[in-house]
């Protein structure tokens, strides 16, 4: 994988109540990823960017909701999320940068 692709695969961490519960209960981190990203690409990107060992990757496609607006119907964007399971002893802390 070329170095430019690594930065395009991961769009950022997905911070939500469920993601926080998953992170506390097990060694998992949730990322928002590119719509065309594959599991091996996600694994390699996380390992190279954060210097951790990844055990597994699960990918989830969330369809955007249809909402009513004053001008008719609108649609939110679709989101692709990756649940990344880290190896024992590996940890990613997003609050360390502050």
């Amino acid at each position: 994988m070329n170095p430019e692709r690594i930065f395009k695969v991961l769009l950022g961490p997905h911070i939500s109540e469920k993601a926080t519960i998953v992170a506390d209960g097990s060694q998992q981190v949730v990322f928002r990823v590119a719509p065309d990203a594959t599991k091996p690409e996600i694994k390699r990107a996380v390992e190279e960017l954060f210097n951790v060992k990844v055990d597994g990757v699960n990918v989830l496609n969330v369809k955007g909701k249809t909402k009513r607006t004053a001008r008719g119907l609108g649609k939110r964007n679709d989101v692709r999320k990756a649940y990344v399971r880290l190896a024992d002893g590996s940890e990613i802390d997003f609050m360390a940068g502050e």
Side-chain angles (χ1 to χ4, degrees):
M1 175 188 313
N2 57 359
E4 297 164 359
R5 178 68 179 158
I6 291 173
F7 293 107
K8 292 181 181 177
V9 169
L10 297 179
L11 302 179
H14 183 77
I15 307 298
S16 66
E17 187 175 354
K18 182 180 178 184
T20 306
I21 292 169
V22 167
D24 290 341
S26 62
Q27 291 289 100
Q28 285 189 342
V29 183
V30 183
F31 288 100
R32 236 178 246 186
V33 296
D36 60 340
T38 62
K39 288 182 181 183
E41 284 180 335
I42 296 167
K43 179 178 179 178
R44 179 179 265 174
V46 171
E47 287 178 344
E48 290 186 17
L49 286 176
F50 297 103
N51 297 323
V52 294
K53 178 76 173 126
V54 174
D55 276 347
V57 177
N58 291 332
V59 178
L60 176 72
N61 290 319
V62 179
K63 301 296 181 191
K65 291 183 178 180
T66 303
K67 293 288 189 174
R68 282 191 185 193
T69 64
R71 294 175 184 87
L73 293 177
K75 184 176 175 296
R76 292 185 182 172
N77 294 334
D78 297 338
V79 177
R80 186 172 171 97
K81 297 189 291 187
Y83 286 82
V84 178
R85 181 176 299 281
L86 302 175
D88 293 335
S90 298
E91 182 180 347
I92 298 175
D93 188 17
F94 295 112
M95 296 299 177
E98 294 181 358

